[in-house]
Amino acid sequence: MPELALNGGKPVRGRMLPYGHQSIGEEDIQAVVEVLRSDWLTTGPGVPAFEEAFAAQVGAKYAVAVSSGTAALHAAAFAAGIGPGDEVVVPAMTFAATANCVAFQQGTPVFADVDPATLLLDPAQVEAKITPRTKAVIAVDYAGQPCDYDRLRTIVDQYGLVLVDDACHALGGKYKSRSVGTLADLSAFSLHPVKGITTGEGGVITTDDPKLVQRMRVFRNHGIISDYRQRQEVGPWVYEMVDLGYNYRLTDFQCALGLSQLRRLPGWVARRQAIARRYDHAFANLPAVNALRVRPDVSHAYHLYVIRLNIAKLRVDRATVFAALRAEGLGVNVHYIPVHLHPYYRKQFGTGPGLCPVAETAYEQIISLPIFPRMSDEDEEDVIDAVSKVAGVYAI
Ligand SMILES: Cc1ncc(COP(=O)(O)O)c(C=O)c1O
């Protein structure tokens, strides 16, 4: 039996391997430097160039670039017309921003439980949460696996709701050969460094509806419009603030980085999928370690590789396994604490334990392992060795 690093033994790795990391090449640096030497640091030609390339990449008609994934969700919530008194169904197993965007608009997030095998929003649970006040559903492509959009579309059409995809994990993923970014009325992406591509911080919303695009372009710029005819009549300084908007603009040098990164997206998704296949294969022999189920009709973008511990086959809890993996040099993480358990939601919306039992149980058992395109074959082996070592030592 190997001695765990936690107990003073030799760790599998000396240097911590993070769970996610950006891939920045010389071409990315050159693209950013070129913009820094130009006249336009923001609101210049780089923004539409990136938006057009992003829309083309996912096969949507339009893309709107904003300053973060959170801003993308907020713009989508605004464009969807969510306001005071509106309810929006969101999954419990997600990052807080999915629900926060509803609260930003003074709506009420209504938490629905997830499927135990995939941890994706369960369409049956969505339907159970619909009331006459429901305005929209925000699906989350958790870990990078697209939700069941055929079933979700049937439900939203039946009740006349807007369907938003929180696609922050899933750039490059597919559902029944259709790309993420085309599966909902509005799809929100994050360009944070651990995501599919990065602009440092950044976000994008894709849609096929030009009216929604117009609303989001105004929203990201303080709610300001500048009407050509008025400027002719009154003066070139004239503009009007017609909505309560924000400064959610993405800079030109960030857009240049995004455009440069986008070219390598397909290769990076393939690399993530190859790492996941290797993990699946290695962990199939470990009774205490289960991979999440991947449906046969999807192409998984693997922003995260999440394992679910079979606690009945271990003599310790998740926290101990987590600490042991960290001690072995893996920068493991947990995605996520169910949102309805956060103090803000308990206080403001009266949520709490028992509301979404599947998500709550899963939360006690999940761990995200390192997965990112620039990982070496040795890094992959270290992950497999560390998980096998820890699961072996703690196995019953
Ligand atoms: C599911 C989900 N939604 C929204 C966000 C927010 O994205 P950002 O960090 O770019 O604001 C994240 C970020 O981690 C996320 O994982």
Side-chain angles (χ1 to χ4, degrees):
M1 190 71 73
E3 178 81 23
L4 286 175
L6 199 58
N7 306 325
K10 190 176 174 308
V12 168
R13 286 179 69 89
R15 203 159 150 253
M16 189 75 89
L17 182 67
Y19 82 88
H21 195 273
Q22 68 273 20
S23 305
I24 300 290
E26 201 46 48
E27 61 272 54
D28 297 319
I29 294 166
Q30 284 313 317
V32 172
V33 167
E34 213 172 284
V35 177
L36 292 177
R37 294 192 206 284
S38 80
D39 289 332
W40 293 96
L41 295 192
T42 190
T43 62
V47 181
F50 176 53
E51 289 177 335
E52 277 159 33
F54 195 98
Q57 177 73 45
V58 304
K61 283 203 181 127
Y62 308 99
V64 177
V66 291
S67 53
S68 69
T70 304
L73 284 166
H74 191 185
F78 172 81
I82 292 160
D86 292 335
E87 293 179 359
V88 178
V89 181
V90 301
M93 180 54 76
T94 185
F95 184 58
T98 313
N100 292 354
C101 73
V102 179
F104 294 161
Q105 289 299 107
Q106 274 121 52
T108 302
V110 174
F111 295 96
D113 216 339
V114 291
D115 176 275
T118 59
L119 303 188
L120 295 173
L121 184 58
D122 180 344
Q125 295 297 319
V126 171
E127 201 159 12
K129 297 284 170 133
I130 290 172
T131 76
R133 288 184 298 282
T134 308
K135 180 94 181 214
V137 174
I138 307 182
V140 175
D141 300 329
Y142 176 78
Q145 175 166 209
C147 294
D148 188 345
Y149 283 96
D150 282 352
R151 282 185 69 198
L152 290 172
R153 175 56 69 192
T154 304
I155 294 168
V156 296
D157 284 354
Q158 186 183 340
Y159 293 92
L161 312 176
V162 181
L163 181 58
V164 178
D165 177 4
D166 179 341
C168 287
H169 294 184
L171 179 59
K174 288 197 171 86
Y175 170 80
K176 298 188 175 173
S177 309
R178 286 142 54 200
S179 290
V180 170
T182 64
L183 303 168
D185 301 310
L186 292 146
S187 303
F189 295 89
S190 166
L191 309 177
H192 178 275
V194 293
K195 301 299 191 330
I197 65 166
T198 190
T199 57
E201 298 282 356
V204 176
I205 315 98
T206 56
T207 182
D208 283 350
D209 185 335
K211 285 203 204 75
L212 299 181
V213 170
Q214 180 57 20
R215 275 172 72 72
M216 293 188 289
R217 294 219 160 111
V218 173
F219 185 73
R220 76 170 167 195
N221 190 32
H222 307 278
I224 284 173
I225 56 165
S226 180
D227 181 72
Y228 173 75
R229 203 168 322 143
Q230 266 198 332
R231 281 195 287 149
Q232 290 263 307
E233 282 168 13
V234 186
W237 63 85
V238 168
Y239 64 86
E240 285 180 315
M241 196 197 112
V242 294
D243 274 312
L244 183 59
Y246 294 78
N247 179 351
Y248 279 163
R249 297 186 301 259
L250 193 65
T251 65
D252 276 57
F253 48 93
Q254 288 175 297
C255 287
L257 178 55
L259 188 59
S260 171
Q261 292 254 302
L262 206 50
R263 296 187 187 113
R264 277 160 295 152
L265 175 68
W268 286 341
V269 172
R271 174 79 186 116
R272 286 175 183 275
Q273 291 173 337
I275 296 169
R277 272 198 301 275
R278 195 154 169 220
Y279 288 170
D280 284 346
H281 184 70
F283 302 148
N285 306 321
L286 302 176
V289 175
N290 294 325
L292 297 183
R293 190 169 88 82
V294 179
R295 284 200 324 270
D297 53 2
V298 302
S299 176
H300 195 314
Y302 282 108
H303 159 54
L304 300 174
Y305 187 93
V306 177
I307 55 167
R308 187 161 180 176
L309 300 177
N310 184 346
I311 300 294
K313 301 244 160 74
L314 291 167
R315 56 192 170 79
V316 294
D317 62 5
R318 191 270 313 274
T320 309
V321 173
F322 185 96
L325 292 172
R326 279 275 174 101
E328 296 298 336
L330 303 193
V332 289
N333 221 314
V334 172
H335 299 92
Y336 291 95
I337 299 167
V339 182
H340 66 284
L341 299 182
H342 286 301
Y344 172 82
Y345 281 100
R346 291 184 190 219
K347 199 167 70 207
Q348 294 294 325
F349 296 97
T351 59
L355 187 63
C356 296
V358 177
E360 290 164 32
T361 303
Y363 161 61
E364 302 289 345
Q365 301 169 351
I366 51 179
I367 295 179
S368 305
L369 301 180
I371 187 164
F372 54 93
R374 269 183 28 191
M375 273 174 69
S376 66
D377 292 349
E378 293 74 48
D379 293 335
E380 280 173 45
E381 264 155 46
D382 288 346
V383 174
I384 292 166
D385 288 351
V387 171
S388 307
K389 179 178 170 186
V390 171
V393 168
Y394 288 138
I396 288 177

